[in-house]
């Protein structure tokens, strides 16, 4: 009895200690925002969502929602869910996932309807929103998958931006010379591997600070590609930049599937890089969590000393994973010059490598979570452009800020625990 009496208070203390009121407070603040903005300041117009295109298999009627009425319903649901979150945290010390997911979906829909209802055109095409978002999402997914490969094995990959940029430059140059897009794609993967080799060599073999190495590599690649762009790609022959006219990877629509409303043009009317992205996310998730290879990778990233004691070569595993991550990021960089646009320009990645890192954290180092976070960033980026053209009174920079604010909230623990692999960023020296 005395032992049990000692254990039970300890359990009670632990349970109280892990109770966090961050999420209920956040939900309460957002619910108050919804009441003020969606209800009191809600526009009187309608928000129209066009779902189908003319060539779709079947036509779905436009979705027309009264901005004021939908805002009232959304705000009411947010208030109820915030109250449920407070009650669950007080009673059980945790909040059910369905409460968090439902709150997020309802709040985002309410915000979207409120924004569109206040524009001049008061309509938006979902197909255009998501297909345009894929131009940003695809390289972001490749960058975040590179981060997953590296950080799951214990190496922080700050050099994703440099790997993407090196892949974009090399793909354009090699494809322009050979007039073969697949040669450019292969060269982009090799360029990513070369950048990641430097990262692996300095951070793993020579135990240099991984963050510093990554930042230096980004600056190095930016300067090198900018120099070569000026010295090589701007050379004109007969008035044409023959070294900056890469071959294009065509879209490969899948019959029938490509004609499904919204999903068809978004997922099934892609280039080979787009299809490879979807395969990569699924394969990487399965490999990490369902195979012996993935178990070894996660062991190296969580507890390298224990992995070493069972015969796993920790540093070799990390080295190979960093090289694989570089190849993945290089392919993502090739998307810029072989699919999205038809030429290379200085620093054309525009910081997407750092956004990929944010998607990796927001997705909790899970391939599927990181891909969904990348889609969120892509939609937000494209939504900024669409709503600016639609004449929204909201500043576009505010819309572009929202995903980053969500990332800060995720990292801070407001929307759930986000923990990197335990040995992430820590060099391993066999003693």
């Amino acid at each position: 009895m005395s032992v049990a009496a000692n254990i039970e208070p300890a359990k009670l203390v632990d349970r109280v200690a892990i109770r966090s009121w961050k999420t209920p407070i956040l939900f309460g603040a957002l619910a108050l925002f919804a009441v003020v903005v969606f209800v009191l300041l809600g526009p009187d117009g309608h928000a129209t969502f066009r779902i189908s295109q003319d060539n779709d298999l079947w036509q779905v009627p436009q979705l027309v929602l009264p901005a004021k009425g939908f805002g009232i319903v959304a705000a009411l649901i947010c208030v109820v869910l915030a109250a449920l979150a407070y009650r669950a945290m007080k009673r059980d010390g945790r909040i059910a996932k369905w409460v968090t997911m439902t709150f997020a979906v309802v709040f985002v829909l309410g915000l979207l309807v409120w924004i569109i209802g206040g524009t001049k055109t008061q309509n938006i095409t979902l197909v255009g929103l998501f297909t345009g978002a894929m131009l940003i999402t695809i390289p972001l997914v490749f960058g975040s998958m590179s981060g997953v490969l590296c950080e799951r094995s214990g190496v922080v990959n700050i050099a994703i931006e440099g790997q993407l940029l090196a892949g974009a430059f090399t793909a354009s140059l090699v494809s322009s010379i050979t007039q073969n897009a697949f040669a450019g794609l292969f060269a982009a993967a090799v360029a990513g591997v070369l950048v990641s080799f430097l990262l692996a060599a300095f951070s793993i073999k020579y135990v240099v600070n991984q963050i510093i190495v990554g930042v230096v590599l980004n600056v190095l690649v930016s300067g090198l590609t900018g120099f070569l762009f000026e010295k090589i790609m701007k050379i004109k022959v007969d008035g044409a930049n023959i070294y900056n006219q890469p071959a294009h990877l065509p879209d490969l629509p899948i019959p029938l599937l490509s004609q499904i409303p919204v999903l068809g043009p978004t997922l099934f009317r892609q280039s080979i890089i787009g299809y490879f992205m979807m395969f990569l996310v699924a394969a990487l998730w399965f490999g990490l969590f369902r195979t012996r290879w993935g178990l070894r990778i996660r062991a190296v990233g969580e507890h390298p000393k224990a992995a070493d004691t069972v015969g796993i070569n920790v540093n070799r595993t990390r080295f190979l994973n960093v090289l694989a991550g570089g190849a993945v990021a290089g392919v993502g960089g090739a998307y810029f010059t072989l699919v999205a646009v038809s030429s290379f320009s200085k620093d054309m990645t525009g910081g997407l490598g750092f956004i990929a890192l944010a998607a990796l954290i927001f997705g909790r180092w899970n391939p599927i979570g990181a891909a969904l976070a990348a889609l969120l960033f892509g939609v937000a980026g494209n939504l900024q452009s669409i709503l600016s053209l639609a004449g929204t009174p909201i500043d576009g920079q505010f819309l572009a800020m929202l995903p980053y604010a969500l990332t800060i909230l995720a990292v801070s623990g407001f929307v759930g625990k986000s923990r990197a692999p335990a040995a992430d960023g820590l060099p391993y020296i066999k003693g």
Side-chain angles (χ1 to χ4, degrees), residues 110-134:
L111 183 64
L112 191 60
V113 170
W114 175 72
I115 293 174
I116 296 174
T119 62
K120 296 178 181 179
T121 58
Q122 295 186 355
N123 67 79
I124 188 173
T125 303
L126 293 183
V127 175
L129 174 63
F130 286 103
T131 53
M134 293 303 286

Side-chain angles (χ1 to χ4, degrees), residues 221-271:
V221 174
S222 176
L224 183 60
T225 55
F227 172 77
L228 295 177
F229 173 76
E230 295 288 341
K231 298 300 181 181
I232 297 177
M233 287 189 168
K234 283 194 171 183
I235 296 177
K236 291 188 177 182
V237 178
D238 296 331
N241 296 323
I242 61 172
Y243 297 118
N244 197 15
Q245 292 183 341
H248 198 72
L249 284 173
D251 289 340
L252 303 172
I254 300 177
L256 298 181
L257 292 179
S258 63
Q259 296 176 313
I260 299 175
V262 182
L263 290 179
T266 303
L267 298 178
F268 305 114
R269 203 174 294 168
Q270 292 291 334
S271 66

